[in-house]
Amino acid sequence: MCHAFLQDPDFFLFLLRIDEEFAAEARDAGCRCGGVLHSARYPRKPRGCPAQVREDYSWRFSFCCARCDERATPASVRFLGRRVYLAVVLTLVSPPGGVAARQLCDLLAIPVRTLNRWRAWWSRDFLRTPFWQSVRSRFMAPVATVRLPQSLLERFDIGTTAQRLVQLLRFLAPLSTRAMSR
Ligand SMILES: [Zn+2]
């Protein structure tokens, strides 16, 4: 698998455009109480993106209701919950046995401890998320849970690696919201 796109700012800007779409939908939907949402972005310190897009990746879309003060944070293809490494990195380095995963870990200098934590999350906690519970029946054949998330990526088999990855990140995007991740 070729990871050249991981150093291509355009790939990351494309993901930003998708997040902008999600954000626009959330803002247009408004708050559950009927109130208007205002921008209240979360600052982020992203790891795993090219320097050219760090500025664009240093915050996450989020909104706050003008009436009841409740937060509304849209799904994201850039961030998976509050983890500092970007979602694209989290999906590529697990399981860590493969050559591609090893190269990526070296490139980004990801500590083994961190990597093991992610592997445990994908193979255990992920399976218990409301997200996975709600989507797993969509797959005709069972997904090999020991090889997550690579086994999921294999289900998106049309296009280049980058295009397949974008499809996977779109699919996983609800996981980046609190309601779907715990
Ligand atoms: Zn409200």
Side-chain angles (χ1 to χ4, degrees):
M1 194 190 281
C2 177
H3 290 125
F5 59 88
L6 286 174
Q7 277 145 341
D8 176 7
D10 286 340
F11 175 75
F12 289 85
L13 291 174
F14 183 68
L15 296 180
L16 172 62
R17 297 287 100 83
I18 296 173
D19 272 10
E20 283 171 347
E21 281 170 34
F22 289 157
E25 281 167 25
R27 193 187 50 229
D28 292 348
C31 181
R32 279 180 296 187
C33 79
V36 175
L37 296 177
H38 291 288
S39 178
R41 293 170 171 183
Y42 281 120
R44 301 297 305 248
K45 286 195 167 64
R47 289 196 207 155
C49 63
Q52 298 97 311
V53 298
R54 192 150 298 140
E55 187 75 32
D56 290 311
Y57 274 64
S58 62
W59 46 266
R60 175 173 178 177
F61 288 107
S62 187
F63 300 96
C64 198
C65 176
R67 191 194 288 171
C68 74
D69 228 27
E70 184 143 330
R71 276 269 179 180
T73 302
S76 172
V77 291
R78 295 183 297 159
F79 304 107
L80 201 54
R82 304 178 68 162
R83 296 167 186 85
V84 291
Y85 284 96
L86 300 176
V88 64
V89 176
L90 290 159
T91 55
L92 284 175
V93 296
S94 297
V99 175
R102 262 203 303 278
Q103 285 171 351
L104 199 58
C105 293
D106 290 346
L107 186 72
L108 300 173
I110 303 171
V112 174
R113 203 178 51 240
T114 305
L115 208 54
N116 287 340
R117 204 169 56 230
W118 291 342
R119 176 155 63 164
W121 184 81
W122 281 110
S123 64
R124 197 183 52 213
D125 309 61
F126 170 75
L127 303 178
R128 297 193 200 122
T129 58
F131 169 77
W132 182 244
Q133 296 295 324
S134 70
V135 298
R136 62 179 180 171
S137 62
R138 284 199 218 160
F139 297 96
M140 298 286 279
V143 174
T145 53
V146 288
R147 288 193 304 107
L148 280 168
Q150 291 310 304
S151 49
L152 265 181
L153 181 61
E154 287 160 11
R155 300 304 173 100
F156 299 92
D157 54 2
I158 296 171
T160 63
T161 303
Q163 286 167 338
R164 291 167 50 218
L165 204 51
V166 170
Q167 291 173 57
L168 176 63
L169 291 170
R170 264 186 180 280
F171 174 75
L172 293 173
L175 256 185
S176 59
T177 64
R178 208 184 306 171
M180 280 301 201
S181 62
R182 57 181 71 166

